[in-house]
Amino acid sequence: MKVVVAKDAGYCYGVERALRITLKATKESPKPIFTLGPIIHNPQVVESLKARGVVPVHSIGEAENGTIIIRSHGIDPKIAQEAKKKGLRVIDATCPIVKKAQHCAQQLIEEGYDLVIVGERKHPEVEGIVAYARNHALIVEQPSDLDNFPHNKRVGVIVQTTQPFEKLLLVVSKLLPISKEVKIFNTICDATTARQEAARKLSKEVDVMVVVGGKNSANTTRLAEICRAENTTTYHVETAEEIDPKWFSNSATVGVTAGASTPDWLLEEVVKRLEKINSS
Ligand code: F3S
């Protein structure tokens, strides 16, 4: 059985950066160290950070003193101000690509556009962007959300970094015929597209796909969906221990990929396990 790893797999730049900032904080910043929400959607990494004294909290209210780290998704700037007022040291690990989306939203509102955000209403990144738009934004999850959108408006469009480009196109093509003007910032992140394209391509070439990453990670789950959509048998695992050799009894090739929040060591452990199955 041949084991092939996808061309683009594992940590993206923003997640790697957030983790680097967090590890630096464990050495240099006032303790205790908190993260507002898990710093990364990967339970194994969150556990290993806990062992170094990094505790995820749901709200500023749970952090009495020390340092709080804002994760790569970003947050409502008012929350950061609140934390500073409490006397906490605030370290901003928002991904620069998400920051760009926040600033584009702010700019469009200041220029008087009606803002449309293509993305998931409940995603923390979108909640943060909405706050930068002073809560004046329509969130569009599906093009049908625009069915009652008023005509003849000057519309500004931005998009959650992890959304598919096709969805942005569908939304824009629905807005163009009914609007006076449409100004678009394509704020989609290349890292997501590259991982999705690599997973799609590989799943067409192999018998079985193994997708490695947190079950709570939207981008990892999406990779598994993309592979299944190619009619390739796909297993989503968090660790190498979950792998059952029976999955590969009739397979000549197995593809492996990992979400943007999956560390290299988890991906490598899975590859090693597959190679071991191969040789036994
Ligand atoms: Fe940033 Fe893109 Fe990763 S927006 S957090 S580099 S998926």
Side-chain angles (χ1 to χ4, degrees), residues 52-263:
R52 294 171 187 245
V54 180
V55 185
V57 289
H58 295 294
S59 71
I60 296 291
E62 292 171 58
E64 280 314 314
N65 50 15
T67 302
I68 190 133
I69 301 173
I70 297 166
R71 58 190 177 165
S72 56
H73 294 319
I75 51 162
D76 180 339
K78 281 201 210 91
I79 299 176
Q81 281 160 15
E82 197 191 313
K84 279 184 196 157
K85 260 194 219 146
K86 271 187 88 171
L88 296 167
R89 177 179 291 182
V90 177
I91 298 181
D92 188 359
T94 306
C95 174
I97 299 164
V98 174
K99 271 237 171 294
K100 185 183 159 219
Q102 293 170 342
H103 290 142
C104 290
Q106 199 171 16
Q107 181 190 327
L108 287 166
I109 290 292
E110 281 164 8
E111 290 174 357
Y113 289 92
D114 280 27
L115 182 64
V116 164
I117 302 174
V118 184
E120 299 150 80
R121 201 160 286 124
K122 297 229 163 88
H123 195 285
E125 176 191 322
V126 173
E127 288 172 349
I129 295 171
V130 170
Y132 276 82
R134 297 186 216 131
N135 295 317
H136 293 308
L138 176 72
I139 300 157
V140 172
E141 294 191 335
Q142 298 302 331
S144 58
D145 293 342
L146 287 168
D147 284 351
N148 299 318
F149 194 76
H151 289 217
N152 293 322
K153 293 279 184 186
R154 292 174 67 233
V155 188
V157 182
I158 66 146
V159 52
Q160 184 185 345
T161 55
T162 47
Q163 289 289 302
F165 185 65
E166 294 69 31
K167 194 184 273 182
L168 174 64
L169 283 184
L170 285 173
V171 169
V172 169
S173 61
K174 197 151 179 180
L175 283 169
L176 276 172
I178 60 164
S179 307
K180 196 191 274 179
E181 182 191 341
V182 183
K183 183 167 178 176
I184 309 151
F185 285 111
N186 177 4
T187 45
I188 293 173
C189 168
D190 290 346
T192 309
T193 318
R195 276 153 191 72
Q196 292 180 353
E197 281 314 308
R200 186 174 288 119
K201 184 168 178 288
L202 185 56
S203 62
K204 285 180 190 162
E205 296 164 5
V206 297
D207 299 317
V208 179
M209 279 297 292
V210 176
V211 181
V212 191
K215 298 267 164 71
N216 59 344
S217 157
N219 75 78
T220 309
T221 308
R222 180 83 191 111
L223 287 182
E225 282 168 10
I226 286 171
C227 299
R228 286 188 191 115
E230 296 300 330
N231 289 325
T232 307
T233 306
T234 302
Y235 298 97
H236 177 172
V237 298
E238 285 190 351
T239 63
E241 288 76 57
E242 290 170 50
I243 290 173
D244 183 345
K246 287 197 210 95
W247 295 346
F248 313 102
S249 44
N250 293 317
S251 310
T253 47
V254 54
V256 188
T257 189
S261 48
T262 309

Side-chain angles (χ1 to χ4, degrees), residues 15-53:
V15 165
E16 202 163 33
R17 179 177 172 273
L19 283 167
R20 214 174 40 241
I21 291 172
T22 306
L23 288 175
K24 192 162 176 251
T26 60
K27 293 180 195 130
E28 298 172 0
S29 298
K31 309 259 179 337
I33 310 275
F34 299 101
T35 61
L36 198 49
I39 191 78
I40 164 175
H41 286 151
N42 185 281
Q44 289 71 30
V45 176
V46 171
E47 280 310 310
S48 79
L49 283 171
K50 271 189 198 159
R52 294 171 187 245

